[in-house]
Amino acid sequence: MNYYKNIFKSIKVQLICCICFLTTVPLLVVCIMEYYSGKSAIEQRVVEQLTSIADLKKNELSSWLEERLTDTSIIARNKVLAAAATSLLQQRRRFESVEQLISSEAGRINYIRILDNLHILKQFYKHYNIISIIDGANGEVVISTYPNIIGKTLHSFDDYIDILQKKDVAVKDIYTSELTGQNYMTYFCPVCMTDTVTLESSDIIIGIILLDVNVKNSIEPLIRNWPGMGDTGETLLVRRSGEDIVYLNDLRHKQGAALKFTSAIHSTSDIPSVLSSDGKEGIKESMDYRNTKVLSAYRHIPILKWGLVAKQDITEAFAPVEKLKTRVIALMVICITVVVAIGISLTNRITKPILQLAEGAKAIAAGNLNHRISIISQNEVGLLAREFNQMAVKLKESYSNLEQKVEDRTAQLLRAERLAAVGELAADVAHEINNPLGGLQNFASMLGNEPENIFQTKKYSALMLEGLKRVEIIVKRLLTFSRPYTLCVSKNNINTIMKSSIEFIEHRIEPDHIFIQRELNESLPFSYVDADHISQVFINIMVNAIESMPNGGTLTIKTDICKKHTACVTVYIIDTGCGIQDEITNKIFEPFFTTKNKEGEKGLGMGLAVSKRIIEDHCGEIHVESKVDKGTTFILCLPCFKEE
């Protein structure tokens, strides 16, 4: 009976949860629909606003540029001004400088009259900041409303002349003036030679009228001030220059950017600027010059092939969407919280036995096979607890036999590990002692061949003692290879250590037809090293070099002051042998890695591993450079001795 009651309670709980779920779902659907409809309306409004700004600003800029061309055309047709300018330019060419022209009585009167006319033009055409007339022969500024540039030479005047040969008026795109250092646009027209009496003009260009417009005071205010653009919105002008995009105005987020800030077309993330400068128009979500995600409306101004971009950061443009999203999420969280609270309160009675099962599983996983689950009810969870207890009993029976097997296997693994360690140590000792033992055998053989040669006997005896000492050091070194040890460092000359090491391998040079080339820098500073261990490194590397030249070759030993590090000396050991393949260059310093296990060669791969450790224990560096069939160069850097 109780069994059926428990089943009924379980069904009742599940039914209550389903009712809560079905009640919450419609509300959530309504919230999501409201969010997406509101988001669509806000996005459309933002797009329309940016599009309107871009279109209006394009029309204003195009009209402004065309008006300036019209003003320039009117000034170009002023015959009185052309006649007066012709007279002034002809007078100027009779004097050495503008100052002398103004000092003369006739020149001063004509100069003042023309200057007054230029000031009147400037007052009438308020968009022009500077009006100047330059000599068409040499580019000199003869007269100007800006006194500081009078007498200066405009080096690019030939460009103006070439353009005016084809058209009556023209405009020079935004540039940094070589005379004032400020950013200008310059409208210009020719001063054709005009008769002062009849006002008849010819096609001969005697001068040029320059009408300079300060970009900061005219164009930038025109495109910068926009209501409704928020804290991140801005409007910018760009043009294409070769493979770069040039920003023509100071940017809101990057001051002083006009004409100085550029970006490569193929690498920039500011796609709208690239598209607008290429003649395309549209609206796009993309990154801007700050690598910030923005919404941009871009337009093309064909008069000067400018690109116009009106943009705003996505985070600010769609801030209302985020607020709506926050409200919807808050409502959804409240609904879910209510459902979860009801579910928790109604399902505690079900989850408590399941938690007991989880704790039991955790205890058994930890090794407590005596743990049992208390059976409270006879429902599905109670049946699961009973099966769990039976599983624990069977696991305990199986585990009692498993412990003995694990102990036996562990003992076997420990023995195998000890044997492997002994094998590695034996291989290490065999390889490291092989080089000095070879030298000792050769020295003993030479002593036996010429026992009466006392000088040779003394020399080889000394070398044999040194070799035996080296064997002793190697054995001690290899026995402690995996443990810290103390270097016996002292003040040493690297050249002396190298010469001693070369003597130890000289017996192998002549039979193998190998020539040793010494390039030792005798002015090397002293090094603070363990001479025996460093000699061991030199011998290991030189022996490898000799073995890489079975048909003979050149072994170059070079010492010098390090070019890359301060307070350091460098040793180069260079051979002309078979070289090392690129794919194994990074492995040659690994223990037990060798390339001598073919064609009868013997090697256990420990020489370079020990050498690398010795160099690094001296706070030095070891590098290798090699090309197949070209040879190998080992580069060793060791610290210098410091007197303090």
Side-chain angles (χ1 to χ4, degrees):
M1 190 62 154
N2 291 333
Y3 175 74
Y4 292 105
K5 287 182 179 180
N6 290 331
I7 293 177
F8 178 76
K9 289 179 181 179
S10 177
I11 295 174
K12 183 179 180 180
V13 170
Q14 295 176 14
L15 181 60
I16 293 174
C17 292
C18 289
I19 292 173
C20 294
F21 176 76
L22 294 175
T23 304
T24 307
V25 166
L27 181 60
L28 295 178
V29 170
V30 171
C31 293
I32 293 173
M33 292 177 63
E34 179 187 354
Y35 167 71
Y36 279 105
S37 62
K39 177 183 177 184
S40 177
I42 293 171
E43 289 178 347
Q44 184 177 358
R45 186 168 64 250
V46 172
V47 169
E48 290 175 353
Q49 179 184 5
L50 277 177
T51 302
S52 299
I53 290 174
D55 289 337
L56 183 58
K57 192 49 62 178
K58 173 185 176 181
N59 294 333
E60 288 188 356
L61 275 174
S62 299
S63 299
W64 189 90
L65 294 170
E66 290 175 354
E67 288 173 3
R68 301 291 77 72
L69 285 173
T70 302
D71 296 341
T72 306
S73 298
I74 294 172
I75 294 173
R77 291 194 296 269
N78 189 331
K79 299 295 184 180
V80 176
L81 179 60
T86 299
S87 175
L88 180 66
L89 292 172
Q90 288 175 340
Q91 285 180 323
R92 164 65 187 89
R93 295 177 183 180
R94 293 195 293 268
F95 294 90
E96 293 184 359
S97 64
V98 177
E99 288 79 5
Q100 290 185 3
L101 169 65
I102 299 173
S103 299
S104 67
E105 184 175 354
R108 182 173 61 256
I109 295 172
N110 193 22
Y111 192 92
I112 294 173
R113 183 173 68 253
I114 296 175
L115 185 59
D116 291 340
N117 288 332
L118 295 183
H119 280 291
I120 293 172
L121 288 175
K122 181 181 175 184
Q123 291 177 356
F124 185 78
Y125 300 104
K126 298 183 181 300
H127 295 288
Y128 300 121
N129 300 95
I130 301 175
I131 302 178
S132 309
I133 298 177
I134 67 172
D135 193 335
N138 56 13
E140 179 188 39
V141 180
V142 178
I143 188 169
S144 175
T145 59
Y146 186 61
N148 291 345
I149 65 172
I150 295 175
K152 293 185 178 180
T153 300
L154 189 66
H155 297 291
S156 59
F157 76 98
D158 286 338
D159 297 335
Y160 294 100
I161 298 291
D162 294 340
I163 294 173
L164 293 176
Q165 297 289 349
K166 303 175 183 178
K167 57 178 71 175
D168 294 335
V169 294
V171 57
K172 182 175 182 179
D173 202 349
I174 297 174
Y175 69 102
T176 301
S177 173
E178 61 184 273
L179 301 179
T180 64
Q182 298 180 355
N183 293 341
Y184 284 97
M185 286 181 62
T186 299
Y187 289 84
F188 55 96
C189 59
V191 177
C192 293
M193 188 172 292
T194 304
D195 188 273
T196 57
V197 178
T198 64
L199 298 182
E200 292 182 359
S201 61
S202 65
D203 294 333
I204 300 174
I205 299 176
I206 192 172
I208 304 171
I209 299 177
L210 302 181
L211 307 167
D212 294 329
V213 179
N214 191 313
V215 176
K216 187 174 290 294
N217 299 331
S218 57
I219 293 179
E220 288 196 6
L222 185 65
I223 68 170
R224 181 186 303 156
N225 299 324
W226 276 109
M229 294 287 283
D231 296 328
T232 61
E234 66 175 327
T235 309
L236 55 90
L237 287 175
V238 296
R239 73 164 175 248
R240 183 165 180 172
S241 177
E243 295 299 318
D244 294 330
I245 290 294
V246 180
Y247 294 82
L248 303 179
N249 61 300
D250 282 340
L251 304 175
R252 181 172 191 171
H253 308 289
K254 192 177 185 69
Q255 295 300 317
L259 296 180
K260 297 179 181 178
F261 180 49
T262 63
S263 58
I265 290 175
H266 300 295
S267 62
T268 183
S269 57
D270 189 2
I271 303 301
S273 294
V274 177
L275 295 175
S276 61
S277 64
D278 285 341
K280 298 179 177 61
E281 298 186 347
I283 189 161
K284 185 179 183 65
E285 285 188 21
S286 64
M287 309 300 286
D288 68 352
Y289 57 87
R290 301 169 295 155
N291 283 326
T292 300
K293 196 169 185 179
V294 296
L295 180 65
S296 303
Y298 53 94
R299 297 292 182 268
H300 183 67
I301 301 176
I303 296 177
L304 290 176
K305 297 182 180 180
W306 284 349
L308 170 69
V309 180
K311 67 182 184 65
Q312 190 176 19
D313 287 6
I314 290 289
T315 54
E316 184 178 30
F318 296 142
V321 175
E322 293 300 320
K323 291 181 181 178
L324 177 62
K325 181 179 178 181
T326 302
R327 290 197 299 269
V328 173
I329 291 175
L331 181 59
M332 293 175 65
V333 168
I334 293 173
C335 295
I336 293 172
T337 302
V338 172
V339 173
V340 170
I342 295 173
I344 290 175
S345 64
L346 294 176
T347 56
N348 273 337
R349 293 178 62 186
I350 297 176
T351 58
K352 186 175 180 180
I354 295 176
L355 290 175
Q356 290 180 350
L357 284 171
E359 291 294 332
K362 184 177 180 181
I364 290 180
N368 184 8
L369 299 181
N370 294 319
H371 185 82
R372 298 293 181 269
I373 304 296
S374 59
I375 302 174
I376 301 175
S377 62
Q378 298 299 323
N379 59 7
E380 293 88 346
V381 178
L383 293 174
L384 181 61
R386 186 180 294 108
E387 294 296 329
F388 184 89
N389 291 336
Q390 292 178 3
M391 179 192 68
V393 172
K394 293 181 179 180
L395 281 175
K396 184 176 180 181
E397 294 175 355
S398 300
Y399 187 76
S400 60
N401 296 328
L402 182 62
E403 287 181 344
Q404 184 61 39
K405 295 179 180 179
V406 171
E407 290 179 0
D408 296 341
R409 183 58 178 166
T410 302
Q412 294 176 4
L413 291 175
L414 289 175
R415 285 195 297 272
E417 184 177 353
R418 292 192 187 99
L419 290 174
V422 170
E424 290 181 5
L425 181 60
D428 200 350
V429 171
H431 180 272
E432 292 301 321
I433 296 180
N434 185 52
N435 290 333
L437 282 182
L440 291 173
Q441 290 173 353
N442 283 290
F443 296 149
S445 175
M446 293 176 183
L447 288 176
N449 292 335
E450 299 182 28
E452 67 282 355
N453 191 336
I454 298 176
F455 175 76
Q456 178 177 277
T457 300
K458 290 182 178 180
K459 176 182 177 181
Y460 289 161
S461 296
L463 289 175
M464 290 174 69
L465 289 174
E466 183 179 349
L468 290 172
K469 180 182 177 182
R470 198 178 309 280
V471 170
E472 179 184 2
I473 292 173
I474 291 172
V475 171
K476 291 180 179 179
R477 168 72 173 179
L478 294 176
L479 288 176
T480 59
F481 184 71
S482 61
R483 300 191 301 270
Y485 67 99
T486 302
L487 292 172
C488 298
V489 293
S490 60
K491 181 178 178 182
N492 287 280
N493 188 312
I494 291 298
N495 288 338
T496 303
I497 299 175
M498 178 56 75
K499 292 175 182 177
S500 174
S501 303
I502 292 174
E503 289 182 0
F504 201 75
I505 56 117
E506 278 184 337
H507 64 280
R508 299 190 56 175
I509 300 303
E510 184 175 351
D512 292 336
H513 305 288
I514 293 173
F515 173 72
I516 295 183
Q517 181 176 338
R518 297 174 176 84
E519 299 179 12
L520 306 181
N521 187 343
E522 299 299 337
S523 61
L524 283 182
F526 287 96
S527 297
Y528 201 54
V529 297
D530 185 320
D532 292 327
H533 285 84
I534 294 300
S535 178
Q536 178 185 347
V537 173
F538 292 164
I539 292 174
N540 281 344
I541 296 175
M542 287 190 292
V543 168
N544 285 345
I546 293 171
E547 292 175 350
S548 71
M549 299 183 288
N551 299 322
T554 301
L555 177 61
T556 302
I557 309 298
K558 180 180 177 182
T559 61
D560 203 352
I561 298 173
C562 187
K563 303 297 189 300
K564 295 183 178 179
H565 310 93
T566 58
C568 186
V569 297
T570 304
V571 178
Y572 301 87
I573 301 177
I574 308 167
D575 65 63
T576 57
C578 58
I580 304 172
Q581 298 176 358
D582 292 339
E583 58 268 20
I584 65 172
T585 301
N586 296 329
K587 299 180 180 179
I588 61 173
F589 294 107
E590 296 177 3
F592 306 109
F593 179 83
T594 180
T595 60
K596 301 177 183 178
N597 291 331
K598 38 189 180 177
E599 298 181 3
E601 295 180 340
K602 295 181 180 180
L604 296 173
M606 291 302 299
L608 291 179
V610 173
S611 300
K612 180 178 176 62
R613 180 172 177 183
I614 292 173
I615 295 299
E616 291 178 348
D617 288 347
H618 282 81
C619 299
E621 295 180 2
I622 181 170
H623 305 285
V624 61
E625 298 175 358
S626 182
K627 291 185 178 180
V628 177
D629 298 328
K630 296 292 182 63
T632 303
T633 300
F634 279 87
I635 305 170
L636 293 79
C637 295
L638 294 168
C640 293
F641 175 78
K642 298 181 179 179
E643 294 295 339
E644 61 272 16

